[in-house]
Amino acid sequence: ANLARVLLPEVGWRVGLRVLAAVIASLYLVGSVGQYEPPALSASDQKAADGGMFGVFKDPKFRLTCAAVACAGFGYILPFAVQAVHAENIGLTSDESATVYTMFGTFSIAGRITA
């Protein structure tokens, strides 16, 4: 059984999503432990990096990409906020809602891998 199938009936969808978010955040934390210091920049690369950490924001294409990713993030998370309430309103059980969340995540991962 996946985590959503266990959490949704026990604690509800609001707390369940918070727990799932905490699990994902902890996975990112574990991944960040494995990071290492990158190699030093060459002289030509150092010239390009002189803008500092936020120098990349001078590029309009990068700013547009950041805005697009932020908007896509809101569009991606919106079904998670609305879907469980709608499912309850039409009479689906928590187990069926968990199945829908699982399918949504599975197809999202498959789409990202094949894109």
Side-chain angles (χ1 to χ4, degrees):
N2 61 32
L3 188 58
R5 284 185 189 270
V6 174
L7 285 176
L8 287 178
E10 294 296 322
V11 297
W13 68 272
R14 290 178 194 251
V15 176
L17 283 180
R18 289 180 182 145
V19 171
L20 289 173
V23 167
I24 290 169
S26 65
L27 290 173
Y28 275 113
L29 181 65
V30 168
S32 69
V33 170
Q35 297 295 314
Y36 57 89
E37 189 69 27
L41 295 175
S42 66
S44 61
D45 290 337
Q46 185 61 42
K47 227 179 194 183
D50 282 341
M53 188 168 95
F54 298 106
V56 71
F57 284 102
K58 293 178 183 175
D59 183 8
K61 290 180 183 178
F62 182 78
R63 288 193 309 253
L64 182 63
T65 301
C66 287
V69 167
C71 292
F74 287 120
Y76 179 80
I77 207 69
L78 182 64
F80 290 108
V82 178
Q83 177 175 305
V85 174
H86 178 68
E88 288 176 6
N89 289 341
I90 62 173
L92 293 177
T93 66
S94 295
D95 192 42
E96 292 168 330
S97 294
T99 302
V100 172
Y101 278 120
T102 303
M103 290 175 58
F104 186 83
T106 303
F107 285 109
S108 173
I109 291 169
R112 290 174 188 204
I113 290 172
T114 59

